Amino acid sequence: MARAKPASGPTMHDVAAAASVSQATVSLVLNSAPGSRFSADTQQRVWDAVEQLGYRTNAHAKVLREGVSGMIGFIGDSVATSPFAGAIIEGAQERAWEEGLLLLTINTGGDKKLEAASLDTMLSYKVAGVVYAAMYNRYLEVPKALAGVPSVVLNSQDKDGKLPSVAPDEIQGGYTATRRLLDAGHTRIGMINIETLESGLPAAVGRFAGYQKAMNEAGVKVDPSLLRFGEGGETHGYTFGRELLSSNRPPTAIFCANDRTAWGVYQAAAELRVSIPDDVSIIGFDNQSTLAPFLRPGLTTLELPFAAMGRQAVDFLLQGAKPDGQVKLMDCPLIERSSVSHPKEKP
């Protein structure tokens, strides 16, 4: 006795019959084919039939037919496990989904062997492109295998300047932060950076350059005694915060190049009984969601545009991601809270 064939799901032909259109029309509507024009009523009938029948496209057939799958690969070091940078995946996923694509995400933890194996797997699935993301902005040596598929470097830049990259505009961010303090009336503005300039870290170099630019434009001389270069953590924020706030001529405002540094300054100010923002204004950078809103007072800071950068990276892939070394710098919005005010008037 012949074995019964397993029931298959609804086909594109079934959708066409239910919507009273041709199978070609269904295909064009579902794939948003460029140049195809259908009335809103026709498109709605197709989508209604898809929903009613529970139709799903055949991803395997798409690979055989077009040579690529309906997926985009996303490889990151520790992006997926960080609440700080997780929004970068959400932005990429949202943009991919708008085009009917899935995001295949791999978190490598910085393990190069796992990265290589993951990339091989993604390429075997014929992904339409790869987003190569990093936890923090730096210059990356990208895997050679990425040369074989449209690829974009995200939240960093390709060290060799070949692949297109999406990164935060660090210089403009530093400028915006310092300009905010200047506009509040401060002129004695200190800065605690997250690395030495010799490190070449784009965030440290760029944010300091933005600080200098704003000060120079305002005609305010940068005072070297108000500058500190740490390692981007709470400890150096506390240590350097104490130094600056207990000096003979303390700053009336401090630009901290990240929020963790600002947190350390808050602790130093509390110990010294220095009021924020009455005695000193503080501005940070990053807008860490688990930290900046919960400091008292709430920290005014610059936000790293993770979701917007994720969307932009997928946009580059949708446009073909030509290996032209293009770098898209994204604005870092100012998030106002309560840590900045006008300096006290002199008696």
Side-chain angles (χ1 to χ4, degrees), residues 112 115 132 134 138-146 153 156-161 163:
K112 289 300 180 181
E115 177 182 277
Y132 188 69
R138 59 191 187 273
Y139 293 98
L140 293 174
E141 291 186 6
V142 302
K144 293 181 180 179
L146 291 180
V153 175
S156 283
Q157 297 180 41
D158 179 5
K159 187 176 182 180
D160 293 332
L163 295 182

Side-chain angles (χ1 to χ4, degrees), residues 91-236:
Q93 182 174 272
E94 180 183 71
R95 185 68 188 94
W97 185 247
E98 288 172 1
E99 299 297 326
L101 301 169
L102 294 177
L103 197 70
L104 177 60
T105 304
I106 302 293
N107 195 72
T108 68
D111 185 328
K112 289 300 180 181
K113 290 184 178 179
L114 177 57
E115 177 182 277
S118 300
L119 185 55
D120 283 344
T121 300
M122 285 183 176
L123 296 180
S124 73
Y125 276 102
K126 301 293 184 181
V127 292
V130 174
V131 176
Y132 188 69
M135 173 63 187
Y136 64 91
N137 188 7
R138 59 191 187 273
Y139 293 98
L140 293 174
E141 291 186 6
V142 302
K144 293 181 180 179
L146 291 180
V149 62
S151 302
V152 177
V153 175
L154 178 56
N155 198 34
S156 283
Q157 297 180 41
D158 179 5
K159 187 176 182 180
D160 293 332
K162 295 179 180 178
L163 295 182
S165 304
V166 181
D169 192 337
E170 308 285 11
I171 295 176
Q172 184 60 38
Y175 176 88
T176 300
T178 310
R179 186 73 254 176
R180 175 67 182 89
L181 297 172
L182 289 164
D183 289 344
H186 296 277
T187 55
R188 192 162 175 76
I189 303 172
M191 180 180 180
I192 304 177
N193 212 335
I194 53 178
E195 287 280 353
T196 63
L197 301 181
E198 290 74 21
S199 71
L201 188 71
V205 174
R207 294 172 195 183
F208 182 71
Y211 164 81
Q212 288 183 305
K213 179 183 177 182
M215 296 286 275
N216 292 336
E217 279 189 8
V220 178
K221 186 177 180 180
V222 174
D223 184 346
S225 71
L226 299 181
L227 302 178
R228 297 291 188 276
F229 297 88
E231 295 180 356
E234 172 199 356
T235 300
H236 276 156

